[in-house]
């Protein structure tokens, strides 16, 4: 073929592929333009993730290791590639659900290009083009393109990776390969038939007579000079790393073909190709490694909840039943539609029946730069697809938590198989049947996505493409944005947490949280009232609640009691209500006496320093019981927003402490961020002087007695500047005979410090500690209370006193923030202050193991094992440390004890 004709055909294929992509894009964008729906649970959660990365990328610090650590922590459970790419898209086109879904056009381009390339290298460019068209017409694809979920991006990148692996597999690689058994056979052509030697080329083979064009060309993105197999190995490694940065389940689809190729290379001693494959895998580790290394422990713990726990809650069939292994098989007709499933299969059976699986395409596949060798048969290509599909199906079925969208990544390969079947028609009638099938599929897609088919269209889609109908929601928009705006209007200077009590598809904590994030992250939505045990704490810890009449959605039994507390206790008042399209009423409640109030008091008398104008406490209070206290601060916005206050209540019999050691029997602390860290500047930095009123509770120790006065110090969390704050005359008498005074909930910093002190009790306290942490994390969605505790405790431990309970609390704050270096440093201090406690050393060893420091962890464990050599937790840590150091014998000795005990 002449170079001119080759280029002309290449650009023609590029044009056809672009038209296929453009038609799908137009259909999707018209649907989004008509749709006024609200994203559901997962969709809204993922959209919020994109905004988190969008915010982080505003001020990147590419050469700062701590910035990268925090960057990977933004999404600690779900790989962030889709979030990051969408954040970039929103930086260009603006934020919002419609703008975010523009990223699906990019992934569509990747998917179509990869499917086209896959079909071309395995069969012909005709198969590739038809496969790309099918990817636009399969119900599973066009439905998930309309949802902001990770499955469609995952399908695109997995297909790209499989395409790169296929091209690399079909090229000569690694020089002459191994010179062992097989000698010159050590090349990637051999891998196409890993179980048999390659066939010699057949120069007399006839062209494929199946309706395909007589020649195959390389895809339009191919360079003019053939790239080496090393380039494709690199491309495979990069694409595999990207796939694992979209979702961990990418491995379910790519593991089988990778293992197949690797075993084939070993079997035939293709050492050069094995090195290239291993090099590609190592390159993928460089791509996905930083995120997985940062979050590996959370991935393991959350993986169980996302799979096993979710499957049990949803009543999934156990793996020892046939239903578990046939679930996705039954979903296939719905995912593909009957015409696109049955017609290609019928055509393929007819084709096989007439000609059998013989090599019909001979030398027609040697024209493209990365086309497979001319002697590679259709049977080999079909075998390669079957390896991928069977492995993907079995591994996906092995996952106990099932949903039809979880197997979307194997459907592009299914589309290649179906396109191959469609192109087996060679006669005029066969081509007409193919065109009619594709036309019918396009009509079914339009009938499923838009209300244009009427009664007949509805009957046709239910018959031929069931469970695929999704019309745009064209009624009035739901009041999510109005709810967020009302909260901001009421409390313009505060970051608010909204307790969302219903949990329906249209009204839940995730989508309200998302619309709050769209407003400068000023309002966060959280589901509370889920446990009867914590109803009172939930009600006392939040100032805003949202309820609705009618169906409440997926909520626990305790939710009804929570609604009753909010609506009938008298602590809250109805702030505003909205009528919903379904006839129900949405109600927004606000606390009658807010925990924090912020007022602008003008620009007169702006002081560079914070002032404490008033402190209100009861005259007498009980020891060991929360005491109500109100602080009134004033100052400039910057000083207030970045301000931490170190408050120490001293017994009057002692002088000002200064540098004197802290005594828990003579003092207690009430450190926190001003306004509990909730000051929010909104869209514009406020100017002038502001007053902040905090209504809180503090916790004197149970052994305290006497009269106490307050000492205050300011600490700027950004600059580290400190200065003493003059305190108005105030005293409180702690007396065991005093009457109890009603108090609000303890602030989160005090709760954390109290929980941290219990760490010294060891494993018996850990479950309760982390249960409580999970609860209070709901009240502060950005966990700023951990930063407040960390900074104030670091200051006290360095400047005031090395107090054991502070060291434990600081360690807990560092661990919860995943500040590994800080956690190790604080736990080393704990082991010094509580050296006889074996749990202190075990905590340090655990964090060192988390940081991949097994030798240091083994050394840290020595005091723990010396005191309690048979404690299962210590044995487990010792076994893991030995395993990470390659000491398999010791690892087996330690871990086998645990196995026998269980």
């Amino acid at each position: 073929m002449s170079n001119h004709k080759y280029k002309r055909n290449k650009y023609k294929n590029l044009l056809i592929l672009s038209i296929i992509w453009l038609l799908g894009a137009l259909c999707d964008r018209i649907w989004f333009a008509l749709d006024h729906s609200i994203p559901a649970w997962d969709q809204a959660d993922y959209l919020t993730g994109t905004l988190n990365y969008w915010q982080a990328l505003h001020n990147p610090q590419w050469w700062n290791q701590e910035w990268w650590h925090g960057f990977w922590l933004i999404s600690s459970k779900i790989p962030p590639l889709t979030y990051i790419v969408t954040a970039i898209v929103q930086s260009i086109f603006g934020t919002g659900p419609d703008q975010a879904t523009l990223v699906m056009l990019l992934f569509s381009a990747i998917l179509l290009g990869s499917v086209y390339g896959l079909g071309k290298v395995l069969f012909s460019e005709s198969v590739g083009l038809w496969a790309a068209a099918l990817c636009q017409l399969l119900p599973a694809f066009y439905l998930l393109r309309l949802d902001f979920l990770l499955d469609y991006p995952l399908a695109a990148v997995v297909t790209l990776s499989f395409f790169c692996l296929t091209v690399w597999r079909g090229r000569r690689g690694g020089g002459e390969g191994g010179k062992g058994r097989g000698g010159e056979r050590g090349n990637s052509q051999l891998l196409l038939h890993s179980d048999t030697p390659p066939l010699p080329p057949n120069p007399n083979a006839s062209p494929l007579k199946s309706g395909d064009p007589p020649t195959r060309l390389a895809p339009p993105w191919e360079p003019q000079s053939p790239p080496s197999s090393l380039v494709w190995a690199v491309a495979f490694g990069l694409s595999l790393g990207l796939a694992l940065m979209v979702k961990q389940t990418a491995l379910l689809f790519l593991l089988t073909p990778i293992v197949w190729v690797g075993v084939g290379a070993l079997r035939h001693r293709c050492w050069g190709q094995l090195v290239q494959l291993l090099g590609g895998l190592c390159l993928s580790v460089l791509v996905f490694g930083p995120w997985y290394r940062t979050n590996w422990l959370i991935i393991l713990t959350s993986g169980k909840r996302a799979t096993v726990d979710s499957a049990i809650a949803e009543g999934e069939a156990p793996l020892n039943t046939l239903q578990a292994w046939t679930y996705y098989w039954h979903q296939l007709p719905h995912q593909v539609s009957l015409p696109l499933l049955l017609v290609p299969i019928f055509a393929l059976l007819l084709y096989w029946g007439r000609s059998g699986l013989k090599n019909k395409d001979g030398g027609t596949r040697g024209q493209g730069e990365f086309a497979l060798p001319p002697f590679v048969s259709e049977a080999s290509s079909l075998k390669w697809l079957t390896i991928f599909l069977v492995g993907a199906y079995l591994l996906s079925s092995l996952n106990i938590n099932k949903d039809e969208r979880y197997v979307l990544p194997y459907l592009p390969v299914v589309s290649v198989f179906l396109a191959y079947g469609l192109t087996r028609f060679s006669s005029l009638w066969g081509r007409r049947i193919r065109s009619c099938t594709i036309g019918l599929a396009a009509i079914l897609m339009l009938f499923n996505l838009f209300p244009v088919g009427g009664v007949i269209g509805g009957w046709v889609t239910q018959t031929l493409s069931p469970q695929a109908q999704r019309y745009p929601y064209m009624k009035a928009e739901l009041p999510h944005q109005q709810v967020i705006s009302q909260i901001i209007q009421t409390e313009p200077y505060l970051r608010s947490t909204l307790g969302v009590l219903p949990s329906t598809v249209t009204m839940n904590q995730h989508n309200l949280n998302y619309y709050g994030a769209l407003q400068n992250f000023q309002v966060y939505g959280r589901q509370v009232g889920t446990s009867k045990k914590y109803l009172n704490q939930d009600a006392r810890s939040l100032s805003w609640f949202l309820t609705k009449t009618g169906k409440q959605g997926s909520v626990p039994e305790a939710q009804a009691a929570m609604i009753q507390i909010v609506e009938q206790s008298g602590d809250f008042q109805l702030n505003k209500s909205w009528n919903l399209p379904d006839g129900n009423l949405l109600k927004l409640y606000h606390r009658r006496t807010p925990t924090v109030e912020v007022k602008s008091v003008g620009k007169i008398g702006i002081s560079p320093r914070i002032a404490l104008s008033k402190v209100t406490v009861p005259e007498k209070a009980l020891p060991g019981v929360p005491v109500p206290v109100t602080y009134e601060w004033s100052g400039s916005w910057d000083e207030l927003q970045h301000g931490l206050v170190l408050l120490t209540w001293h017994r009057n019999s002692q002088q000002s402490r200064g540098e004197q050691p802290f005594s828990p029997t003579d003092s207690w602390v009430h450190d926190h961020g001003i306004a509990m860290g909730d000051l929010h500047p909104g869209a514009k930095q406020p100017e002038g002087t502001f007053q902040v009123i905090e209504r809180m509770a503090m916790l004197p120790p149970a052994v305290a007695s006497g009269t106490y006065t307050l000492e205050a110090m300011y600490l700027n969390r950004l600059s580290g500047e400190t200065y003493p704050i003059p305190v108005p005359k105030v005293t409180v008498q702690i007396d065991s005979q005093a009457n109890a005074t009603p108090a609000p909930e303890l602030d989160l910093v005090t709760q954390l410090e109290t929980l941290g002190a219990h760490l010294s009790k060891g494993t018996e306290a850990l479950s309760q500690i982390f249960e409580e942490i999970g609860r209070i994390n709901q009240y502060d969605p950005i966990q700023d209370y951990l930063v407040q505790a960390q900074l104030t405790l670091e200051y006290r431990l360095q400047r005031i006193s090395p107090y054991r309970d502070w060291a434990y609390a600081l360690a807990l704050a560092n661990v919860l923030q995943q500040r590994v270096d800080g956690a190790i440093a604080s736990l080393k201090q704990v082991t010094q202050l509580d050296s006889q406690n074996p749990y202190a050393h075990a905590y340090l060893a655990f964090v060192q193991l988390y940081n991949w420091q097994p030798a240091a962890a083994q050394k840290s464990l020595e005091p723990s094992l010396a005191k309690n050599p048979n404690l299962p937790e210590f044995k487990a840590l010792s076994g893991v440390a030995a395993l990470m150091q390659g000491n398999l014998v010791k690892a087996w000795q330690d871990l086998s004890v645990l196995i026998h005990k269980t």
Side-chain angles (χ1 to χ4, degrees):
M1 179 183 292
S2 68
N3 188 51
H4 175 72
K5 188 174 182 181
Y6 166 72
K7 288 185 177 180
R8 185 178 63 188
N9 280 276
K10 182 174 73 171
Y11 290 124
K12 177 182 176 182
N13 292 333
L14 176 60
L15 177 61
I16 295 173
L17 201 60
S18 300
I19 292 173
I20 293 172
W21 174 85
L22 182 60
L23 290 175
L26 287 174
C27 180
D28 293 349
R29 301 323 298 178
I30 291 172
W31 192 93
F32 280 118
L34 296 174
D35 182 59
H36 299 153
S37 65
I38 296 296
W41 296 279
D42 289 349
Q43 294 88 332
D45 196 28
Y46 296 150
L47 286 167
T48 304
T50 70
L51 292 179
N52 291 332
Y53 276 97
W54 170 80
Q55 185 184 52
L57 289 172
H58 278 177
N59 297 295
Q61 301 174 31
W62 305 116
W63 309 113
N64 187 328
Q65 185 177 358
E66 290 188 6
W67 182 86
W68 277 108
H69 180 74
F71 188 74
W72 298 131
L73 284 175
I74 293 174
S75 176
S76 56
K77 299 177 183 178
I78 298 173
L81 180 63
T82 305
Y83 297 159
I84 296 170
V85 176
T86 310
I88 296 172
V89 170
Q90 291 183 102
S91 296
I92 300 171
F93 297 100
T95 58
D98 285 353
Q99 292 87 336
T101 54
L102 288 170
V103 77
M104 295 301 175
L105 301 181
L106 172 62
F107 287 112
S108 285
I110 295 173
L111 177 63
L112 297 184
S114 302
V115 166
Y116 167 73
L118 192 61
K120 179 189 182 309
V121 299
L122 292 178
F123 300 106
S124 70
E125 59 190 10
S126 176
V127 172
L129 289 173
W130 284 109
L134 290 178
C135 284
Q136 297 287 54
L137 297 175
L138 296 186
F141 284 120
Y142 62 69
L143 289 179
L144 281 174
R145 288 201 307 265
L146 304 177
D147 267 328
F148 194 88
L149 296 168
L150 303 182
D151 306 279
Y152 189 77
L154 179 65
V157 186
V158 165
T159 307
L160 174 63
S161 186
F162 183 57
F163 164 64
C164 293
L165 179 64
T166 301
V167 176
W168 171 81
R169 175 179 178 264
R171 297 187 64 82
R172 183 180 299 274
E176 291 301 316
K179 289 295 183 181
R181 185 177 61 85
E184 67 278 0
R185 294 190 301 156
N187 57 61
S188 58
Q189 294 175 2
L190 181 60
L191 295 181
L192 294 165
H193 300 272
S194 59
D195 49 353
T196 58
L199 299 173
N202 180 9
N204 299 318
S206 60
L208 181 64
K209 297 177 181 178
S210 60
D212 286 336
T215 57
R216 296 183 70 240
L217 302 178
W221 56 81
E222 275 292 292
Q224 291 300 311
S225 59
S228 68
S229 61
L230 181 61
V231 172
W232 285 105
V234 169
F236 164 69
L238 291 174
S239 59
L240 175 62
L242 293 175
L244 289 169
M245 283 294 283
V246 174
K247 204 173 183 181
Q248 297 94 325
T249 53
L251 198 59
L252 299 178
F253 303 93
L254 295 169
L255 179 63
T256 302
I258 292 172
V259 171
W260 184 273
V261 171
V263 171
L266 280 172
R267 182 180 175 187
H268 296 287
R269 301 182 183 180
C270 303
W271 308 124
Q273 289 156 346
L274 186 62
V275 169
Q276 285 190 5
L277 179 63
L278 294 176
L281 295 177
C282 292
L283 181 60
S284 72
V285 174
L286 295 179
V287 177
F288 69 75
W291 182 83
Y292 280 86
R293 188 189 187 281
T294 303
N295 299 287
W296 68 271
L297 184 59
I298 294 179
I299 295 169
L300 293 178
T301 56
S302 63
K304 175 182 177 295
R305 291 194 298 269
T307 54
V308 178
D309 295 349
S310 297
I312 294 174
E314 296 171 7
E316 299 285 5
L319 293 179
N320 60 354
T321 63
L322 182 63
Q323 182 182 355
W325 296 95
T326 60
Y327 174 82
Y328 290 121
W329 178 261
H330 294 305
Q331 300 303 316
L332 189 60
H334 305 148
Q335 294 175 309
V336 175
S337 80
L338 293 179
L340 293 181
L341 181 64
L342 298 180
V343 174
I345 291 177
F346 173 78
L348 197 56
L349 292 176
L350 185 63
Y351 169 70
W352 285 343
R354 289 181 176 179
S355 59
L357 277 174
K358 298 178 182 178
N359 178 32
K360 297 293 184 179
D361 52 352
T364 65
R365 299 200 289 168
Q367 301 296 330
E369 286 92 340
F370 59 60
L372 297 184
F375 55 80
V376 177
S377 66
E378 292 177 359
S380 175
S381 296
L382 290 171
K383 178 182 177 181
W384 179 238
L385 294 183
T386 303
I387 291 168
F388 176 90
L389 290 173
V390 171
Y393 185 93
L394 292 178
L395 291 177
S396 296
S397 298
L398 190 63
N399 182 359
I400 190 173
N401 188 24
K402 293 180 173 60
D403 190 291
E404 62 182 81
R405 63 184 173 92
Y406 295 163
V407 294
L408 194 72
Y410 71 48
L411 289 183
V413 177
V414 171
S415 74
V416 173
F417 177 80
L418 296 176
Y420 173 74
L422 278 177
T423 54
R424 297 314 91 193
F425 291 121
S426 58
S427 65
L428 175 62
W429 277 105
R431 292 194 296 270
R432 288 177 177 175
I433 291 174
R434 180 167 61 217
S435 299
C436 290
T437 302
I438 295 297
L440 178 59
I443 293 173
L444 290 175
M445 181 182 73
L446 293 176
F447 283 177
N448 275 323
L449 294 181
F450 303 99
V452 296
V455 176
I456 296 178
W459 178 83
V460 171
T461 55
Q462 288 302 315
T463 303
L464 300 178
S465 182
Q467 302 181 21
Q469 188 179 89
R470 185 177 178 186
Y471 293 160
Y473 176 82
M474 292 184 284
K475 298 180 182 179
E477 293 186 11
L478 294 170
H480 291 65
Q481 297 182 55
Q482 300 173 41
V483 171
I484 302 302
S485 297
Q486 180 65 21
I487 294 174
I488 295 175
Q489 181 180 343
T490 305
E491 295 183 334
Y493 301 117
L494 289 175
R495 180 179 66 246
S496 302
T497 302
L498 172 65
V500 183
L501 301 188
S503 186
T504 65
V505 174
T506 57
M507 194 68 61
N508 57 70
Q509 69 276 18
H510 292 300
N511 53 37
L512 282 155
N513 183 67
Y514 171 63
Y515 282 97
L518 286 173
Q519 295 295 324
N520 296 304
F521 295 89
Q522 193 163 351
V523 178
Y524 291 82
R526 289 295 182 266
Q527 185 179 30
V528 294
T530 58
S531 172
K532 291 182 179 179
K533 182 179 178 181
Y534 297 124
L535 288 181
N536 289 329
Q537 289 94 323
D538 290 346
R540 289 153 55 92
S541 298
L542 297 181
S543 294
W544 292 96
F545 285 93
L546 192 71
T547 68
K548 70 179 286 290
T549 59
K551 293 182 179 180
Q552 300 298 305
S554 56
V555 295
E557 296 180 2
Q559 187 251 12
M562 189 72 203
I563 293 177
Q564 187 174 9
I565 292 175
V566 171
E567 296 185 343
Q568 301 179 17
S569 67
D571 293 334
F572 300 89
Q573 60 184 357
L574 182 64
N575 184 272
K576 195 168 184 178
S577 61
W578 294 267
N579 292 316
L580 299 176
D582 60 3
N584 290 310
L585 190 65
L586 187 69
K587 295 181 285 186
L588 178 65
Y589 285 88
H590 187 218
R591 185 174 297 279
R592 292 184 183 275
T593 305
T595 303
V596 176
E597 285 187 74
V598 183
K599 303 176 182 177
S600 174
V601 293
K603 299 182 179 180
I604 300 176
I606 296 179
S607 171
R609 293 192 167 190
I610 293 297
L612 177 59
S613 57
K614 186 177 181 181
V615 181
T616 304
V617 291
E619 292 183 2
K620 294 184 178 181
L622 289 169
V625 176
V627 178
V629 57
T630 300
Y631 303 106
E632 297 184 15
W633 310 92
S634 61
S636 67
W637 180 265
D638 282 340
E639 287 288 285
L640 291 167
Q641 185 184 22
H642 303 140
L644 303 172
V645 286
L646 289 85
L647 306 179
T648 308
W649 290 84
H650 294 295
R651 189 149 57 180
N652 271 354
S653 61
Q654 299 189 6
Q655 302 297 321
S656 174
R657 292 297 159 271
E659 300 296 327
Q660 295 296 320
F662 174 81
S663 172
T665 59
D666 298 322
S667 310
W668 74 83
V669 301
H670 196 204
D671 303 342
H672 61 276
I674 294 178
M676 303 191 193
D678 286 337
L679 291 179
H680 193 285
K684 184 179 178 181
Q685 181 82 358
E687 297 179 355
T689 301
F690 292 84
Q691 181 188 53
V692 176
I693 302 174
E694 305 169 335
R695 299 178 179 90
M696 312 172 65
M698 55 186 175
L699 185 64
V703 296
S705 62
T707 302
Y708 290 77
T709 57
L710 176 65
E711 185 179 80
M713 178 174 288
Y714 176 86
L715 170 63
N716 189 296
R717 67 166 77 195
L718 296 183
S719 65
E721 177 193 7
T722 61
Y723 54 80
I725 302 175
V727 177
K729 185 176 182 180
V730 58
T731 60
V732 58
Q733 183 177 351
I734 303 300
D735 186 350
S736 59
Q737 303 301 317
N739 295 323
T741 305
E745 195 73 5
L746 289 170
D747 62 278
L748 302 188
V749 175
T750 301
Q751 292 187 52
L752 176 76
E753 293 173 351
T754 303
L755 292 171
H758 293 315
L759 281 175
S760 60
K761 299 177 182 178
T763 53
E764 65 181 29
L766 283 179
S767 59
Q768 181 62 30
I769 288 173
F770 284 99
E771 183 180 352
E772 293 283 348
I773 291 294
R775 173 183 63 83
I776 64 179
N777 278 348
Q778 295 289 85
Y779 311 145
D780 183 356
I782 64 171
Q783 275 82 70
D784 184 67
Y785 77 97
L786 297 175
V787 180
Q788 299 171 37
Q790 170 212 329
L791 295 175
T792 55
L793 289 170
E794 283 177 348
Y795 183 88
R796 286 189 176 276
L797 285 166
Q798 293 172 7
R799 305 290 184 86
I800 298 178
S801 176
Y803 179 43
R804 188 201 69 169
D805 287 358
W806 290 349
Y808 271 114
L810 176 58
L812 181 59
N814 279 317
V815 167
L816 292 174
Q817 293 179 82
Q818 294 180 257
R819 298 182 68 252
V820 180
D821 293 340
I824 290 175
S826 55
L827 284 169
K828 285 182 177 179
Q829 187 174 21
V830 167
T831 59
Q832 296 171 1
L833 297 174
D834 199 14
S835 59
Q836 299 305 309
N837 188 334
Y839 292 106
H841 302 277
Y843 294 147
L844 174 59
F846 175 82
V847 177
Q848 288 169 331
L849 287 175
Y850 174 84
N851 200 37
W852 301 91
Q853 298 175 341
Q858 194 75 59
K859 185 175 181 180
S860 298
L861 268 175
E862 291 176 359
S864 303
L865 292 170
K867 288 183 176 293
N868 294 285
N870 297 318
L871 195 68
E873 290 79 6
F874 295 169
K875 280 285 187 182
L877 291 173
S878 178
V880 173
L883 183 64
M884 293 175 69
Q885 295 177 86
N887 190 342
L888 301 181
V889 175
K890 179 172 174 52
W892 173 253
Q893 291 173 347
D894 289 337
L895 297 176
S896 62
V897 174
L898 302 179
I899 297 174
H900 293 319
K901 286 188 176 182
T902 55

